[in-house]
Amino acid sequence: MDKLQAMTTFVRVVEAQSFSKAAETLSMPRSSVTTVIKNLETHLGTPLLRRSTRTLSLTDAGARYFASCQAILSDIAEAEIGLSLDATTPRGRVRADMPGLIGRAIVLPRLREFEKRFPDIELVLGLSDRPADLIYDGIDCVIRTGELTDSTLVARRLGQLSWLTCASPGYLKEHGEPDSVSALGAHPVVNYISNATGRPLDWRFNVDGENLTISLQSRFAVNETEAYLQCGLEGLGLIQISRFAAFPYLQTGRLKEVLADARCSPVPISIVYPLGRNATAAIKAFVDWIVEISASAAFQ
């Protein structure tokens, strides 16, 4: 028995004081309404209505059950109205995680705009290079780079990132510029430590159409993008970093790209969130906003 349908039918019969009128408002045959009430009374083990040829009245148990049904159905209606309001005016808390560089460069400068557009959304931002686990960390959405394989997540593409091998002018003056990937073994480099594995990331190149990954020994290694960038600016070694991060320093000449002809293929950057009902209207509103502002972010 569908208890919710039975409650709705019972309340409608009482309010209409008629099985026939209740059947009309419910778009059900009168016989079906009668059957629902009989089955409900059997399930509850007590009569709910006194029936005569002309009138209907509630038993004591029926009166108590009628009041409870009204309260339950009212709560359900209120909950549904609340969700409808959320759909038209997104509200609630959104917890988002993203690389610190992207958050500071793109998101934080436009938070006033977000606040004006979505005044009922509370935003909690995590800025870190550590890869967040949406379930374990209680995160609603994250910005990630690379190909995504988790089929339980919805991915919205923000652009792509190109990875460059760079050095400072001071470094190049002291050590010279490598003329090939094979020459890197003779050069000081700075490694980036993966927060996921705790190990240095491989250096990636494309030589004559073939993708190469190589491991390089380093005296210095860090696990945060802006610290990594600073190592390159200080001339501590070659670095391999996204063009998005390096772009301002390439423009001013504080960094120079080397091995440009061996640059590896770009990787996608996306914002991802849970599939289906776990994604609230507020999460979707935030994701849409991130996609919108990323269009002018020059990810490349």
Side-chain angles (χ1 to χ4, degrees), residues 57 68 71 84 95 100-101 119 122 209 229 238 250 271 278 284 287-289 296:
S57 62
S68 296
S84 296
R95 296 191 61 184
L101 183 70
E122 176 188 353
L229 181 60
L238 295 165
L250 295 169
I271 184 165
N278 291 329
K284 291 177 181 177
V287 169
D288 286 344
W289 181 72
S296 59

Side-chain angles (χ1 to χ4, degrees), residues 207-246:
V207 178
D208 297 328
E210 181 182 354
N211 291 324
L212 300 177
T213 59
I214 61 174
S215 298
L216 296 172
Q217 296 297 314
S218 68
R219 178 177 296 176
F220 302 105
V222 297
N223 68 344
E224 196 272 333
T225 300
E226 289 181 288
Y228 188 61
L229 181 60
Q230 191 63 34
C231 287
L233 293 169
E234 295 295 332
L236 297 176
L238 295 165
I239 61 174
Q240 193 168 73
I241 196 166
S242 71
R243 186 176 186 276
F244 176 78

